[in-house]
Amino acid sequence: MANRSIDVGLVIRAKDEATRSLDTIGGALENLLGKQNALGSSADSTGNRVADLVRTLATLDKAAGSIATSYGKADAAFARQNASVDANREKLATLQAQAEHAATGFDVLQRAIVDASLAGKDTGKLVSALATLRQEQARYQQQAERLTTTIEAQAAGIESSRSPLQQLGSTLLAVGDAQAKARAQIDDTTSAMERQQAQAARNAGVAPS
């Protein structure tokens, strides 16, 4: 139960860490969207915009690295939760099979005791074996009930973790998209700056270098 709580907490903390990282790039995203398709009137002003975009991309790259780390932690914790509940379901199936086997043996011993009693034979050993089997059957049932409760709690924990993990994945994709847009804008703006420089050189009668 403690490990389940730890892993659920890890997923939620990882999502919160990613949210804080996303908050730090709010200005960078506004800058990226606000300056989209806005070229300067000269090579100098366009160059300033390239530098601005490079700084924006650096901010996005840093945030993306932090969010990716958070996602990795959350994904590992979620995988552990699923692996644990799968292992417990296997244990439960084994316990249930043992309980059924004990129940079958219990019925066989009861019939044997009746037959031995009717035949006037000693039933002491059979009665002792029946008592032992009854204890085993009760133990299997108790263990199965406790494990069923654990599995139900684990399943609830997995559902609690699913939404934060999905949010983390969506955040990571959104930042990746912003990174791609920033790189594309840097390329476009750099090309525009080179064209402006070439045009300026032609206007001045100087061959561009």
Side-chain angles (χ1 to χ4, degrees):
M1 296 291 284
N3 289 337
R4 178 187 67 81
S5 298
I6 289 172
D7 281 333
V8 172
L10 278 174
V11 174
I12 294 174
R13 283 198 300 276
K15 191 265 291 182
D16 291 341
E17 289 172 1
T19 299
R20 287 193 293 272
S21 295
L22 189 61
D23 289 342
T24 65
I25 62 173
L29 291 173
E30 289 178 8
N31 183 52
L32 179 63
L33 296 173
K35 290 182 179 268
Q36 193 169 8
N37 300 322
L39 293 176
S41 58
S42 68
D44 288 340
S45 60
T46 303
N48 290 336
R49 180 168 180 260
V50 170
D52 196 18
L53 285 169
V54 169
R55 286 191 294 271
T56 296
L57 179 58
T59 300
L60 291 171
D61 287 345
K62 182 178 179 180
S66 177
I67 294 171
T69 298
S70 296
Y71 182 83
K73 293 177 183 177
D75 191 49
F78 191 70
R80 285 194 299 271
Q81 287 177 273
N82 279 283
S84 179
V85 76
D86 287 344
N88 280 336
R89 282 173 176 152
E90 290 182 7
K91 291 178 184 177
L92 179 60
T94 299
L95 282 172
Q96 289 171 335
Q98 290 173 324
E100 289 176 4
H101 181 72
T104 300
F106 190 83
D107 291 340
V108 171
L109 278 173
Q110 280 187 316
R111 287 195 297 270
I113 290 171
V114 171
D115 291 341
S117 180
L118 291 174
K121 297 179 180 179
D122 180 30
T123 59
K125 291 183 179 180
L126 291 173
V127 171
S128 178
L130 184 66
T132 299
L133 192 58
R134 180 183 287 113
Q135 291 175 349
E136 289 182 359
Q137 185 181 22
R139 186 175 69 253
Y140 291 143
Q141 290 174 339
Q142 289 172 356
Q143 290 175 346
E145 288 172 1
R146 287 196 297 268
L147 196 53
T148 297
T149 300
T150 297
I151 290 171
E152 290 173 352
Q154 286 178 313
I158 288 173
E159 287 307 308
S160 297
S161 299
R162 193 182 305 280
S163 179
L165 185 63
Q166 290 173 339
Q167 291 176 37
L168 261 173
S170 298
T171 298
L172 191 57
L173 288 173
V175 174
D177 183 58
Q179 287 174 289
K181 288 179 179 178
R183 291 189 179 96
Q185 284 192 43
I186 289 171
D187 290 342
D188 291 345
T189 308
T190 300
S191 297
M193 182 179 66
E194 290 172 351
R195 290 193 299 272
Q196 288 173 331
Q197 288 173 334
Q199 184 60 50
R202 283 194 295 272
N203 292 341
V206 178
S209 56

